[in-house]
Amino acid sequence: MINLAIVGATGLVGSTFLKVLEEKSYIKIKNLYLFASPKSEGKQIVFRGKTHTIHSLSKENILNKKIDYALFSAGSEISKKYAKIFAQNKTIVIDNSSAFRMEKNVPLVVPQVNEDALNKHKNIIANPNCSTIACMAPLKALDSVFSLKEVVFSTYQAVSGSGMKGLNDLKQNMLGNKSQFYPYDIYENCLPHIDSFMENGFTKEEMKMVNETQKILGKKIKVNATCVRVPISYCHSISIYAKFQKEFNTEKARKALQEHDGIILLDEPKNNIYPMPIIAKNRDEVFVGRVRKDLFSKNAMSMFVVADNIRKGAASNAIEIMEKLIAKN
Ligand code: A2P
């Protein structure tokens, strides 16, 4: 039995934490504490047949409680302000924001890829970026066989990656209204712009894919990313081009992908079988297809990966981390 807090419980990822926990009824919860902004204070949410009240987050509200795990998804600023207070109060924080991902003492974990990193935490564990999470198991599976050297990501990311604000813009655009959050309409459009632009010409989202891939795979591989927002509600798709030390072989790759935990291989192009958002939605696995050897380099290949960005890319991955920790304790 665990005592659990959810920070950002009214948000898109926060409410998905609750949905996933409803499904995983074998995770026994003694006390559940739900936190959001002061505007949600007093709101009620039904979880496992019981009504829970939302509280606003404050130091006092944390320190007077015994909380074993806290799942955070209320943005980086809230994580920076409160995660350490929880951690000092002996709570293990699993943080969905980018606040701590690149800190040396903070494991950045995809359980199907680098579970061992969980052995060295100091009460804060980071959940990786949603597109990065989707790509890690497929790359790890191939790295084990061919030894990964370089990777190029091109993403097609759903508006729910921007939270409620992104979903609202798409909905409003479809009714003929202008975007409130994105700099342009997203309906009938693609934005090669996710998060802010940096001095080097890449966006912060692209640099997250670069830095987090190296940290999770534990290798200084060369990474390049172009991240694009597309007008769909859920699921991120990623076209991956990868180069290896060893010669690539499609059959061996398909076998490695098929056998890897957390991956579903959908790769029968002749029968129109390949991964798509409509297949990955509401699922916790990563879907992989279009696996093919490069035309010009015998050590390179391409594939197409799709995962539900709110589930595997955020809430489910964090809960899988928590399950691993519960099993260890
Ligand atoms: P609230 O609904 O009260 O604003 P999303 O990413 O889907 O927009 O969700 C963001 C989540 O972060 C929401 O649950 C939101 O609560 C929460 N949040 C925003 N500001 C704070 C704050 N100051 N303290 C705690 N939670 C916050």
Side-chain angles (χ1 to χ4, degrees):
M1 291 275 254
I2 58 165
N3 296 302
L4 177 67
I6 295 183
V7 176
T10 50
L12 214 48
V13 175
S15 53
T16 309
F17 284 141
L18 293 168
K19 189 174 161 202
V20 174
L21 287 166
E22 285 275 9
E23 294 165 11
K24 297 191 170 192
S25 54
Y26 56 85
I27 301 179
K28 301 290 175 211
I29 300 169
K30 192 168 163 202
N31 291 301
L32 177 67
Y33 304 105
L34 303 179
F35 296 108
S37 78
K39 87 167 197 269
S40 301
E41 172 82 48
K43 252 193 195 169
Q44 301 207 311
I45 287 183
V46 177
F47 175 74
R48 294 186 181 169
K50 230 178 104 187
T51 303
H52 295 264
T53 304
I54 305 273
H55 294 290
S56 66
L57 192 58
S58 67
K59 202 171 169 177
E60 300 69 53
N61 263 345
I62 301 165
L63 294 179
N64 63 10
K65 296 181 178 70
K66 184 191 172 306
I67 302 170
D68 303 305
Y69 297 95
L71 302 172
F72 265 64
S73 193
S76 284
E77 291 315 307
I78 299 298
S79 296
K80 282 181 196 154
K81 193 164 165 195
Y82 289 102
K84 287 189 178 149
I85 301 174
F86 275 90
Q88 281 157 11
N89 205 31
K90 299 204 173 76
T91 301
I92 299 181
V93 172
I94 303 165
D95 180 33
N96 192 49
S97 83
S98 59
F100 307 107
R101 286 181 191 152
M102 295 317 295
E103 284 193 12
K104 199 165 171 280
N105 289 327
V106 175
L108 183 65
V109 178
V110 178
Q112 297 78 15
V113 175
N114 63 337
E115 185 189 337
D116 288 355
L118 287 176
N119 296 333
K120 279 186 276 172
H121 72 81
K122 297 215 167 5
N123 283 0
I124 300 182
I125 291 147
N127 209 34
N129 161 270
C130 41
S131 294
T132 311
I133 289 179
C135 301
M136 291 303 98
L139 286 178
K140 179 72 182 177
L142 299 181
D143 180 44
S144 311
V145 185
F146 306 110
S147 190
L148 187 62
K149 224 170 69 174
E150 270 182 60
V151 57
V152 179
F153 297 119
S154 307
T155 75
Y156 308 73
Q157 297 183 220
V159 295
S160 54
S162 313
M164 297 289 189
K165 303 180 288 293
L167 283 169
N168 282 340
D169 269 8
L170 178 57
K171 206 157 94 188
Q172 288 303 320
N173 289 172
M174 288 168 80
L175 296 170
N177 301 318
K178 290 274 148 219
S179 286
Q180 301 275 312
F181 174 70
Y182 296 123
Y184 297 94
D185 283 357
I186 184 65
Y187 181 56
E188 302 276 34
N189 201 9
C190 296
L191 300 177
H193 173 186
I194 301 183
D195 209 329
S196 45
F197 284 100
M198 302 181 65
E199 279 297 306
N200 64 5
F202 286 83
T203 60
K204 279 193 182 161
E205 182 82 355
E206 288 158 355
M207 291 312 296
K208 285 176 202 167
M209 293 198 79
V210 174
N211 297 326
E212 294 180 23
T213 297
Q214 292 181 341
K215 180 164 174 176
I216 296 164
L217 296 179
K219 273 185 156 183
K220 278 278 167 208
I221 49 173
K222 292 181 185 168
V223 185
N224 184 296
T226 302
C227 292
V228 180
R229 189 74 71 195
V230 297
I232 63 164
S233 299
Y234 296 97
C235 296
H236 289 352
S237 307
I238 305 102
S239 161
I240 301 181
Y241 175 78
K243 272 191 177 171
F244 302 90
Q245 305 278 4
K246 298 183 190 157
E247 180 168 352
F248 182 77
N249 173 289
T250 308
E251 280 324 300
K252 276 190 197 164
R254 287 207 179 103
K255 186 167 180 289
L257 289 163
Q258 208 150 27
E259 287 173 357
H260 196 95
D261 192 18
I263 294 177
I264 294 184
L265 184 71
L266 294 179
D267 201 19
E268 291 173 51
K270 289 201 180 90
N271 297 320
N272 295 343
I273 293 176
Y274 34 71
M276 292 180 288
I278 53 172
I279 292 171
K281 192 176 166 194
N282 279 326
R283 299 287 298 261
D284 290 334
E285 302 90 343
V286 170
F287 293 77
V288 184
R290 300 292 323 278
V291 176
R292 60 208 192 273
K293 191 168 180 167
D294 187 69
L295 294 175
F296 303 97
S297 164
K298 64 181 178 17
N299 290 12
M301 60 85 70
S302 297
M303 62 183 160
F304 196 67
V305 170
V306 186
D308 187 319
N309 58 308
I310 301 297
R311 288 189 64 113
K312 182 58 190 165
S316 302
N317 195 72
I319 290 171
E320 287 164 12
I321 291 172
M322 187 174 78
E323 287 184 75
K324 296 285 182 197
L325 293 167
I326 294 171
K328 280 182 204 295
N329 287 333

